[in-house]
Amino acid sequence: MLANTKLITLCMIVKNEIRDLPRCLRSVKGVVDQIVVVDTGSTDGTVEAARSFGAAVLRSEWNGDFAGARNKGLVHAEGEWILFLDADEELDAGTRDQLRTMALHREITGFFLNVWNYSGDGGEGATINPVLRMFRNDRRYRFEGRIHEQIAAPIMRHTPEARFHLSDVIVHHYGYRREVVAAKDKVNRNRTLLEQAIREEPGNRFNYYNLGVEHFRAGEVEEALAAFRKAREGIDYAAVSYAHLLVKHETSCLQVLRRWEEALESAEAGLAWYAEYPDLWHAKGVSLAALGRRRQAAGAFASAIAIGRAPALYHTEDGMGTYQSAYWLGMMHEAEMDADTAAHWYAEAVRYRGSLLAPLYRLCRMMNVSARPEALAGFIGSRFALESPEAAEKLAGILLDCGCYEALSLWLEERLRQAGDGERAKLRPWLELADACARLSGSAGKTESHEVGRGAADLTKDAASSGFAGMGLTVGEDALESADGDGFMMDTALTGEGGIGLAASDAASGDRTETANTDGADHPGAIRLEALRRTEQWLGGNGDEALPPASRDWLPLLLSGRSSDATAAAQRVRAVVGTLLDGRPSEDAAAHQSAREGILVGAKALYALADRHLAQVQGASGLALAVQGIRLSLPFSGRG
Amino acid sequence: MLLGIHVLACNEEDVLGRCLQSVRGLADEIVVTDTGSGDRTVDIAKAYGARIVRAAWEDDFAAARNAGLEAARTVWVLVLDADEWLEAGYDRTSLRRMLREAQEDGFSVRMESRYGHEANETLSHEAMRLFRADCGLRYAGAIHEQLVRPGARKIAVDGPLCGLRLRHDGYLPEMMARKAKAERNLRLIGKALREEPDHPFHLYNRGVTLCQLNKPKDACAAFALASLFAPADAPYRASLVRDRAKALLAIGDADGAAAMLHREVDRYADCPDVQLAYGDSLMAQRRALEARGAYEAALAAGAAAGGSVREAGAGSFRARCGIAAAEAALGRAEHALRAYAAAAAEAPRYGPALAGWAEQLQAVGENDEAIRAALASSLGEAAPGDAALLARVLGGIGAYAAALPLWREAKPLAPAEIRAYAAALAGAGDAGAARALLLGWLEAPRSAKSVGAAETETAAAVEGTAANRRQTDAGFEHAREGVAADIAQQLAAGAMAEKVTQMQTQAPATARQQHPLFAALCADAALCGWEAGMPLGGTLREMLASAHGELAERLSAVERYAAPYVAVRSARTPGADAGLPEWLPFVGLLLERALELGLPRLAGRLAQAAPALNERYGVTLYRHGYAQAAAGRLLRGMEQRAPGAEESFAFGEILLLKGLYGEALSMFEAAMPDEGVGARAKLGAAFCSLALAREALLPWAERATAEFGGGWPLADLEQLQLAIIRTEATGWRTPWTAVQRRRMNVGEHEADHALHDR
């Protein structure tokens, strides 16, 4: 790099960004040759921080005009290229160096970078959209638009033959994470500005679009829907580049409002224009599923998968056409009692994104309900390549949580045969856990007929004083409307945190959710086993001591298991669970949290108890499928 | 000559006239092919001016028909069977003009076959019946013969509809029975199979015939084989799928039926019959949510134009009744009500629709008079038999007071109707009148011959329904198969009738005594008499003694033992002894019938006559809807000894009604090991666990924010709600009919009948 030839200038506008700015500027080190920062009135040390990174800082008064503020900085840029970022963004470490190479292609007018928008609290995946972020430094190219500044339009106006290129460079944008939004009240500010812009330019549909987005983020879905519809009025689908987004957002609003028929219509209308947009196929599938038309829903999800990742010109949500669609397709087949096909698609979902947990839970649960332990063990062994002992432990935990004790034993035995010493040490406790749980749950081969008479009589003596008595509440009539369609969880966001690290095909994406909680602490298997031992001790004790806190997690197993051989113990378990179920929300944060955790465990215990009773009925002729359907509808363990 | 009518007949003197009368004046000649009648068939034919062609019967329908065709002297022929007739309303002139100008070789007609006497029990299809006689078209196939073109390869002939409609009643049970048609068909099919082994069409027909002979198990085997060989595009394949499903359901293999239909249902998306069968099999599997979807698909298929409906109502009122039953199972009474009302609007005299509608109206709280008015206005113009129909439906939901005026109006009454009328009288509190009515029928002198077809067939229908219901009962004692309350009553009648008929030892003397319901009516008369304080009485005793000796003995014995508790003077019959075989079941049966009739005081006395019955009496009361009375008994019983499984279950349900889920859970768990009630107890226990969970989560729901997808605990609550709905849909709870629901708060020693309107 010659001393006085600058290739890339970073231009930014900031105000009170001390928290995020350093991260951003660190990420451009070595990539850009000049940094120009326009500050509109910081009071928190932002200016000093910027200067410490070598930036030239211009102070300017803030008058509500984003474009104007940016343009002030452009005047001082000396590089051949202008790169612009926001303070709450960060260049991706793995791909940023490509910018220097791309900058050598001077025949290109502008480069699109892939902005990954993280929303929620970070665990729910990202929406990805390609945006123009690096362009030739030309005096005629200036930003337009007060709130959402545009540069592509002005460029094309001045240079009709301009060439653009979509790069692979990724920009991580954290600005809409919940806590950040709350801290800066960005949503309301944007909304005010947008409403002002609409008053000034009533015909500009882009403002309505953005207003809709802000309303949606604030949870005002009806208003968002109205704004999107206004934006879509009379639109020329072929000409407006973000028109597909309008359709998608409109469909999303209708889904959140549970207006499934309309959502379906909206998706289908959109598909007439954008047949290659997997998000719309996925939305169509979700709506059909909610309407109970599972077969057609499966077809829609399959179409989404056939397309795969959306073509570059679409703003797509992470997982559309890949792991989300595969997951839903699995759920459709599960509901049709087609376990093998469902298992395949759950495995596919994990293949797309190795950190997913929900498909694994569903897979194990489904196989447990249809009572096929060997099939499950075999399936896991052949379909999942576990890269580390930690991954194996996580999977073992899931199998245990879902009650797949026999499958766990079978699979572990096979795996231990080929395992190294380190792994063997970590996995052995799980084998013991599997056996212990099988014993406690009474599923180790013994039938229920042994419980006749004695168990029954003992229980009836205390009939009136059952541990659950005195709940006090009467259940409100129809407290919830009966479920739409089949009541699939509309929560399409799959947790990526604390993932397993199963073999995934998209290693290049630099999956940010790495395997957490495995940094050499006590092995989870050993910890759990210890907790179980202590629980068994408590169970066999004389009843004076309170339940050890670590044993709480074992209550579901204790409640639903065969404890009729120690009926006093069974009563104690019930008493403990009953107390937990009495927990209520509270103003005191600590008490509230404790009560909430108690309810979670208590509810899980009841689900486990119900599942056990149902499992025993499943053999009755003519009821097998009906009961399986009930068991698969039970709330999921491992969430919440 | 232009058009000739060709009829194949053998001993058809009772129907031939109807057939020929319907075509009078249409054609230029009538040809009747006779294969050896011994009755007045030939004379009747000649009276209508027909030419007789005699052909020897060689177990070959095609050959017989072709013999007639050979003798045709007309250009066109219209083929009818003797038990068919042409529906009036066609235009002779335009028909003849069409034939003169036609390019085609043949036309098909619309066939409507009645297979039952209930309204809307018809099948319809199209058949090639009108064709040119001079281009070599002939019949092929010893049975279920088809019209084919001559040549090496037999191609079936087809043609457009010509607007004519033929009606056929040969499938009515009495017609089939009279001519032993089914057996004959079976023989012929067997012959065809020997010539063409594994031919799927013959196998299919074999299955159908076996169903007609009430042998569903063998039919399933035939259908299974036919399914293996039938080509994918065979025109009868949809019917094969549907009939096979029905046969599987009849032998109780709901899983098999559902699995088979699950594979086929996409291919026949526009065939309402197949979709309806799928719905039925899903209901049999207790999967009401899925069943509703299937019934809705049937409705959609029926609405689509040009659907290939065979069974009347498959795509309309039957599907609606299915939807209604599913909604009722899912606990959505309002939806069920609407669906039944819609079904009744489409088919005003369809029994299940009316019965279901009445039941749901009662469930949502309408009073009896309002129910009667709604049903009556739906029937529209009165037709004969309406009064009896309405009375039966109203009696079925326990609206006795509203039913009585209708019974008085309805005449004449078949035995099953007499029984229902008497039950209404007893239920309304007038046991004496009930007894008088029954005796009136029992004692009436009648000659053997005039036992009308209607009477035997109603009895047959009752028996048949009962048999079917028993067969589809899958594991539950009290299956809840749709909500036709009067069918439930007929089931009881069937059980009773069968039991008592088994005791028949001597050959019956009179035609009345021949009737399958005779014994049941006698028992009813006895019970009503005891209730009203009257002994068996001389005439009844004699009648019984001559025909049903054992029954007479046992009734007398019961009276003798019940006598000390009954304020009645009765003659002592020497020799009767409680050591009679099957004493206990017999008294138990009488006890149940007494409760059905709404006579708990009498039932209580009967229970005291046998200690074993007395012990179980609490549960028995509960099963018949006397929940409050049962609760008292159950509590007292539990103080003295450990409760049995059934008692625990009943008590659990009672606790459940009060919202005491925890206590109910313990009760259900106590009942779980039992073989009989164990499955339902387990479901009940699961229900309680889920209800407890829901109770615990609800307080937390208020604070939750509804995000996209719903945060905790809203997502959990949604899943729970679904699981609870599905659990309820399995029908584990004691199924109470409308009649029984009225008795919930009746104490044991109060009036015997709940005269309340609700």
Side-chain angles (χ1 to χ4, degrees):
Chain A
M1 192 168 68
L2 297 179
N4 49 359
T5 310
K6 297 194 173 65
L7 196 54
I8 305 178
T9 301
L10 171 65
C11 290
M12 302 181 65
I13 59 174
V14 298
K15 181 174 180 179
N16 287 331
E17 302 278 5
I18 188 63
R19 198 178 61 161
D20 295 326
L21 186 62
R23 174 183 60 194
C24 175
L25 294 183
R26 238 177 279 133
S27 76
V28 303
K29 232 178 179 168
V31 177
V32 306
D33 307 301
Q34 180 196 18
I35 304 178
V36 176
V37 172
V38 176
D39 181 272
T40 58
S42 294
T43 53
D44 63 349
T46 299
V47 173
E48 290 69 27
R51 289 216 178 100
S52 76
F53 280 89
V57 180
L58 292 143
R59 298 205 113 118
S60 170
E61 264 204 26
W62 173 243
N63 58 357
D65 184 355
F66 279 99
R70 284 204 195 271
N71 289 334
K72 283 219 177 74
L74 291 186
V75 172
H76 298 268
E78 294 166 8
E80 287 183 48
W81 297 87
I82 312 267
L83 170 72
F84 67 98
L85 298 174
D86 282 335
D88 53 7
E89 291 176 342
E90 176 191 16
L91 270 189
D92 176 67
T95 51
R96 61 190 180 195
D97 294 317
Q98 297 175 27
L99 281 173
R100 305 261 341 147
T101 332
M102 281 155 34
L104 299 176
H105 287 271
R106 295 169 173 95
E107 70 279 12
I108 305 290
T109 314
F111 286 98
F112 279 71
L113 272 55
N114 298 288
V115 178
W116 283 40
N117 298 286
Y118 295 92
S119 57
D121 40 28
E124 291 167 12
T127 65
I128 307 164
N129 60 311
V131 192
L132 179 59
R133 284 302 185 93
M134 188 158 94
F135 56 95
R136 298 291 297 164
N137 186 357
D138 185 316
R139 270 184 26 214
R140 298 166 301 165
Y141 300 157
R142 290 293 176 260
F143 285 94
E144 294 168 2
R146 296 175 63 126
I147 296 97
H148 283 265
E149 5 14 327
Q150 294 251 300
I151 189 68
I155 291 178
M156 286 193 287
R157 241 191 352 259
H158 290 288
T159 313
E161 73 280 10
R163 287 176 57 187
F164 297 101
H165 180 77
L166 173 65
S167 75
D168 292 329
V169 179
I170 295 173
V171 175
H172 298 285
H173 173 222
Y174 305 107
Y176 284 116
R177 290 174 82 139
R178 225 175 274 150
E179 61 268 21
V180 181
V181 172
K184 305 196 68 182
D185 203 22
K186 213 169 182 177
V187 175
N188 280 332
R189 180 203 63 184
N190 281 355
R191 222 165 359 157
T192 321
L193 292 171
L194 278 168
E195 279 157 5
Q196 183 184 350
I198 286 175
R199 278 195 294 279
E200 290 173 10
E201 283 181 291
N204 186 335
R205 62 177 82 251
F206 194 53
N207 288 330
Y208 281 109
Y209 166 65
N210 288 308
L211 183 64
V213 170
E214 297 300 334
H215 274 304
F216 191 81
R217 286 215 183 91
E220 297 157 357
V221 189
E222 292 271 8
E223 290 84 341
L225 180 62
F228 289 131
R229 284 189 163 156
K230 198 102 179 82
R232 203 161 58 79
E233 256 171 37
I235 201 171
D236 180 358
Y237 284 101
V240 178
S241 65
Y242 59 90
H244 65 282
L245 268 180
L246 278 175
V247 179
K248 169 164 169 157
H249 285 318
E250 194 177 321
T251 311
S252 295
C253 289
L254 290 163
Q255 283 176 241
V256 173
L257 294 168
R258 314 190 80 86
R259 283 150 63 169
W260 303 113
E261 297 274 3
E262 291 174 69
L264 178 61
E265 274 169 31
S266 175
E268 286 179 328
L271 281 169
W273 282 97
Y274 309 110
E276 298 299 303
Y277 190 19
D279 298 48
L280 285 181
W281 282 109
H282 187 97
K284 177 174 175 180
V286 170
S287 308
L288 283 166
L291 290 168
R293 289 147 65 174
R294 284 196 292 254
R295 284 185 154 141
Q296 294 172 301
F301 291 125
S303 301
I305 292 173
I307 298 172
R309 278 282 290 272
L313 36 90
Y314 288 127
H315 174 165
T316 182
E317 201 177 315
D318 199 23
M320 296 291 139
T322 58
Y323 63 84
Q324 297 236 28
S325 306
Y327 179 58
W328 273 85
L329 188 52
M331 288 203 287
M332 294 299 106
H333 284 284
E334 180 186 311
E336 294 282 311
M337 305 294 179
D338 185 354
D340 292 321
T341 317
H344 165 76
W345 286 112
Y346 288 143
E348 284 292 288
V350 174
R351 187 178 65 80
Y352 283 118
R353 185 164 186 198
S355 54
L356 293 178
L357 294 180
L360 291 169
Y361 273 104
R362 286 214 90 99
L363 170 67
C364 295
R365 183 98 187 96
M366 182 178 65
M367 290 299 211
N368 191 30
V369 165
S370 51
R372 297 162 58 192
E374 305 91 0
L376 180 56
F379 188 80
I380 293 177
S382 62
R383 286 298 289 267
F384 296 118
L386 297 153
E387 293 166 340
S388 63
E390 289 79 14
E393 286 202 84
K394 265 282 160 87
L395 187 53
I398 293 177
L399 282 163
L400 207 64
D401 283 339
C402 293
C404 303
Y405 310 127
E406 202 181 328
L408 180 56
S409 295
L410 287 169
W411 172 63
L412 278 179
E413 277 163 9
E414 182 57 40
R415 195 170 170 89
L416 281 173
R417 268 195 272 277
Q418 301 145 10
D421 286 329
E423 187 171 341
R424 216 171 270 167
K426 291 183 184 162
L427 292 183
R428 272 262 165 64
W430 291 101
L431 202 49
E432 290 189 53
L433 276 167
D435 291 335
C437 289
R439 205 182 352 104
L440 273 175
S441 80
S443 59
K446 295 194 185 168
T447 61
E448 303 309 309
S449 53
H450 294 293
E451 295 173 3
V452 169
R454 186 170 54 123
D458 286 343
L459 281 176
T460 45
K461 259 191 235 147
D462 307 297
S465 59
S466 152
F468 299 128
M471 290 294 300
L473 270 190
T474 43
V475 179
E477 211 68 44
D478 292 320
L480 278 193
E481 249 191 51
S482 41
D484 306 306
D486 288 315
F488 278 107
M489 282 177 60
M490 292 306 143
D491 187 349
T492 55
L494 304 174
T495 312
E497 266 184 9
I500 286 191
L502 299 191
S505 61
D506 49 337
S509 71
D511 197 355
R512 298 186 63 76
T513 52
E514 293 174 348
T515 61
N517 308 332
T518 54
D519 40 26
D522 262 12
H523 306 311
I527 297 176
R528 274 220 216 187
L529 192 56
E530 178 58 31
L532 181 58
R533 296 255 180 272
R534 251 185 257 138
T535 310
E536 284 184 300
Q537 263 179 348
W538 173 83
L539 202 61
N542 54 11
D544 285 342
E545 359 154 329
L547 182 74
S551 304
R552 251 198 197 183
D553 294 331
W554 292 105
L555 280 173
L557 180 57
L558 292 183
L559 186 66
S560 65
R562 264 193 53 198
S563 43
S564 64
D565 41 6
T567 331
Q571 283 304 94
R572 281 164 63 210
V573 172
R574 293 206 168 195
V576 170
V577 177
T579 316
L580 287 176
L581 289 169
D582 283 331
R584 293 280 175 274
S586 144
E587 293 308 323
D588 172 29
H592 183 93
Q593 185 60 13
S594 161
R596 185 174 186 270
E597 283 165 9
I599 289 276
L600 278 169
V601 173
K604 261 212 240 184
L606 285 171
Y607 307 151
L609 182 60
D611 187 63
R612 171 154 191 81
H613 292 314
L614 290 167
Q616 292 171 7
V617 190
Q618 206 168 302
S621 71
L623 280 182
L625 285 180
V627 171
Q628 279 191 41
I630 304 175
R631 290 177 71 191
L632 290 170
S633 317
L634 288 176
F636 231 69
S637 63
R639 303 299 307 279
Chain B
M1 293 195 285
L2 181 64
L3 174 62
I5 310 288
H6 283 244
V7 184
L8 182 62
C10 182
N11 288 326
E12 303 273 12
E13 64 178 359
D14 39 357
V15 290
L16 185 59
R18 175 184 65 186
C19 170
L20 295 179
Q21 180 69 21
S22 74
V23 295
R24 202 169 203 172
L26 166 64
D28 308 301
E29 75 164 350
I30 300 181
V31 174
V32 172
T33 308
D34 172 62
T35 54
S37 300
D39 63 356
R40 294 170 42 243
T41 297
V42 175
D43 297 328
I44 295 175
K46 283 191 179 147
Y48 280 90
R51 202 152 49 89
I52 310 293
V53 170
R54 295 197 197 269
W57 177 247
E58 277 152 13
D59 267 359
D60 190 332
F61 275 102
R65 288 200 199 276
N66 290 337
L69 290 178
E70 291 293 327
R73 293 186 196 143
T74 52
V75 177
W76 288 86
V77 300
L78 173 65
V79 173
L80 271 80
D81 281 341
D83 55 7
E84 295 169 352
W85 69 99
L86 184 62
E87 205 176 77
Y90 59 89
D91 182 1
R92 182 182 184 280
T93 328
S94 60
L95 176 69
R96 290 178 74 92
R97 185 171 2 114
M98 178 192 80
L99 291 177
R100 265 190 279 272
E101 297 166 0
Q103 304 286 338
E104 296 87 343
D105 285 344
F107 294 93
S108 21
V109 304
R110 193 119 200 106
M111 300 267 337
E112 288 200 3
S113 312
R114 300 215 79 204
Y115 61 88
H117 285 283
E118 293 290 327
N120 314 104
E121 290 191 308
T122 51
L123 296 171
S124 58
H125 66 280
E126 294 168 14
M128 271 297 285
R129 291 299 188 90
L130 179 58
F131 51 93
R132 288 181 193 276
D134 56 357
C135 56
L137 299 175
R138 290 295 179 262
Y139 281 98
I143 182 164
H144 300 107
E145 60 285 9
Q146 290 194 296
L147 195 64
V148 298
R149 254 176 233 295
R153 265 197 329 141
K154 301 204 179 96
I155 313 167
V157 181
D158 205 2
L161 279 172
C162 65
L164 292 178
R165 295 163 77 90
L166 292 182
R167 308 286 287 272
H168 171 232
D169 65 359
Y171 287 145
L172 288 174
E174 63 272 25
M175 305 294 267
M176 299 275 311
R178 190 176 307 151
K179 299 211 62 187
K181 269 190 186 170
E183 284 87 356
R184 179 206 62 192
N185 287 352
L186 204 60
R187 211 177 58 236
L188 289 170
I189 294 171
K191 188 168 152 207
L193 276 170
R194 277 192 293 282
E195 288 164 21
E196 289 180 292
D198 294 339
H199 193 293
F201 188 56
H202 299 321
L203 287 167
Y204 167 57
N205 286 309
R206 185 176 145 77
V208 171
T209 314
L210 284 165
C211 282
Q212 288 165 347
L213 289 167
N214 213 8
K215 295 186 175 163
K217 200 147 195 290
D218 298 330
C220 284
F223 286 137
L225 215 48
S227 300
L228 270 180
F229 293 116
D233 56 354
Y236 55 88
R237 200 167 181 286
S239 303
L240 168 59
V241 168
R242 183 199 70 154
D243 291 338
R244 186 172 172 206
K246 282 193 162 177
L248 284 167
L249 285 176
I251 63 172
D253 186 5
D255 288 336
M260 179 207 57
L261 283 165
H262 184 80
R263 289 191 297 270
E264 302 280 359
V265 110
D266 284 332
R267 189 197 309 221
Y268 296 111
D270 60 355
C271 176
D273 300 64
V274 172
Q275 305 294 329
L276 185 76
Y278 191 34
D280 289 341
S281 60
L282 287 167
M283 280 301 278
Q285 282 185 312
R286 319 260 174 223
R287 295 160 70 191
L289 262 181
E290 287 84 352
R292 183 180 63 187
Y295 286 130
E296 281 167 356
L299 210 57
S308 51
V309 186
R310 286 213 62 223
E311 191 177 11
S316 56
F317 59 87
R318 281 182 205 273
R320 289 191 199 278
C321 282
I323 290 174
E327 296 281 19
L330 292 167
R332 293 161 34 126
E334 288 287 344
H335 289 84
L337 178 58
R338 274 204 293 275
Y340 275 125
E346 275 178 350
R349 285 168 183 80
Y350 183 50
L354 287 174
W357 191 21
E359 168 125 4
Q360 293 303 320
L361 281 169
Q362 203 249 0
V364 301
E366 294 286 340
N367 67 47
D368 291 346
E369 182 45 42
I371 298 177
R372 188 206 61 77
L375 294 179
S377 74
S378 162
L379 284 177
E381 275 185 45
D386 273 1
L389 174 64
L390 259 188
R392 242 202 347 255
V393 173
L394 287 168
I397 62 166
Y400 300 125
L404 286 175
L406 289 161
W407 278 126
R408 285 192 271 273
E409 214 182 285
K411 287 180 196 7
L413 292 175
E417 292 168 331
I418 297 268
R419 197 159 189 242
Y421 186 5
L425 283 166
D430 200 348
R435 179 174 187 271
L437 173 73
L438 287 164
L439 284 180
W441 185 86
L442 288 166
E443 291 164 352
R446 294 265 278 183
S447 58
K449 222 175 185 195
S450 53
V451 174
E455 286 192 16
T456 33
E457 79 76 25
T458 312
V462 169
E463 294 298 316
T465 317
N468 276 338
R469 292 292 164 190
R470 271 198 296 281
Q471 280 168 337
T472 50
D473 198 330
F476 279 2
E477 296 182 80
H478 309 281
R480 189 175 211 169
E481 314 268 356
V483 288
D486 60 338
I487 292 186
Q489 279 193 343
Q490 285 175 356
L491 168 64
M496 177 75 157
E498 189 181 282
K499 189 88 182 142
V500 230
T501 320
Q502 282 167 6
M503 301 181 208
Q504 195 170 320
T505 46
Q506 297 136 280
T510 72
R512 281 282 147 108
Q513 288 164 345
Q514 247 176 0
H515 199 282
L517 281 180
F518 178 78
L521 289 163
C522 288
D524 277 4
L527 286 168
C528 292
W530 290 330
E531 170 68 14
M534 293 186 265
L536 275 178
T539 27
L540 188 55
R541 233 185 262 274
E542 276 169 29
M543 252 194 314
L544 279 174
S546 65
H548 300 263
E550 273 189 43
L551 177 59
E553 271 188 61
R554 283 179 216 189
L555 279 177
S556 305
V558 171
E559 187 177 57
R560 199 166 75 92
Y561 276 85
Y565 309 96
V566 177
V568 146
R569 289 181 309 117
S570 74
R572 294 220 157 224
T573 317
D577 196 339
L580 281 173
E582 296 203 2
W583 168 247
L584 198 59
F586 182 69
V587 183
L589 220 48
L590 284 179
L591 193 153
E592 301 260 351
R593 184 63 186 155
L595 284 175
E596 275 167 25
L597 289 171
L599 314 172
R601 259 188 330 210
L602 174 61
R605 292 196 292 268
L606 287 172
Q608 290 174 32
L613 286 175
N614 206 23
E615 268 191 27
R616 295 176 37 88
Y617 189 50
V619 177
T620 315
L621 271 177
Y622 182 75
R623 246 191 310 111
H624 284 271
Y626 292 94
Q628 183 173 332
R633 277 220 170 215
L634 288 170
L635 270 173
R636 283 198 299 277
M638 292 205 293
E639 279 160 18
Q640 296 160 5
R641 57 190 150 77
E646 280 185 295
E647 293 172 303
S648 297
F649 186 84
F651 207 62
E653 277 196 305
I654 292 173
L655 289 167
L656 204 56
L657 289 172
K658 301 195 196 297
L660 298 167
Y661 299 117
E663 292 82 350
L665 176 62
S666 309
M667 287 278 106
F668 288 128
E669 285 176 332
M672 275 177 4
D674 180 73
E675 289 230 352
V677 86
R680 298 166 59 202
K682 288 165 190 161
L683 287 165
F687 175 82
C688 288
S689 313
L690 296 176
L692 279 169
R694 189 168 68 168
E695 264 190 348
L697 289 177
L698 277 176
W700 295 81
E702 286 146 17
R703 307 255 181 141
T705 45
E707 316 148 7
F708 180 42
W712 184 87
L714 292 180
D716 268 19
L717 279 167
E718 200 174 301
Q719 302 268 88
L720 265 179
Q721 184 69 4
L722 182 62
I724 287 175
I725 288 176
R726 281 183 182 268
T727 309
E728 291 295 85
T730 61
W732 64 272
R733 296 192 191 232
T734 305
W736 277 336
T737 61
V739 178
Q740 290 160 345
R741 270 200 295 270
R742 295 173 191 250
R743 299 168 175 164
M744 261 174 56
N745 298 317
V746 172
E748 209 178 321
H749 303 293
E750 290 174 29
D752 285 355
H753 38 268
L755 273 180
H756 320 303
D757 233 341
R758 305 227 336 222

